[in-house]
Amino acid sequence: MNRVWKGFTDLFEDDDPAEPRFDPVHLAGVLVAVQVVAGVLFWLLWTLLVYEGGLPAKLGLLLGGPRDPDALRGLWGNLAALALCAGLVVALERLDRRRR
């Protein structure tokens, strides 16, 4: 019985120096960061494309689409999302160019 217990505990205590070590706190931090980034990206794209009709519908009004009195509702939210999206793309491009 003692040998069986020793074999069972050796499954969890085997430290092979060739294997990579994973820090559970680091892994949890990465998972939380990925979820936050995905949420921010979803919010940004939703605000840009869907909120109160989205920016494409408002651009259609400028190009001669049908006039609706409530068509420009949410324009400031759409423009803020457009500015954030453009700033994010510029920042990522600069970061990429700096690494090359």
Side-chain angles (χ1 to χ4, degrees):
M1 181 68 178
N2 200 11
R3 199 172 354 153
V4 172
W5 181 253
K6 174 85 170 121
F8 178 72
T9 57
D10 282 345
L11 290 173
F12 303 103
E13 295 176 358
D14 187 28
D15 290 336
D16 186 10
E19 290 186 16
R21 301 192 115 204
F22 297 103
D23 183 15
V25 174
H26 183 258
L27 182 62
V30 167
L31 291 175
V32 168
V34 165
Q35 289 178 347
V36 167
V37 168
V40 167
L41 181 63
F42 176 80
W43 174 85
L44 183 65
L45 292 176
W46 180 85
T47 305
L48 181 65
L49 300 173
V50 178
Y51 176 69
E52 295 289 343
L55 194 61
K58 291 171 183 68
L59 291 177
L61 286 175
L62 295 175
L63 298 175
R67 290 285 181 203
D68 183 16
D70 291 333
L72 294 180
R73 279 183 41 197
L75 179 64
W76 291 111
N78 297 133
L79 291 177
L82 180 64
L84 285 173
C85 190
L88 182 64
V89 168
V90 168
L92 287 174
E93 183 179 354
R94 285 184 182 172
L95 184 65
D96 184 48
R97 286 182 189 256
R98 193 179 326 161
R99 288 193 177 194
R100 287 186 194 176

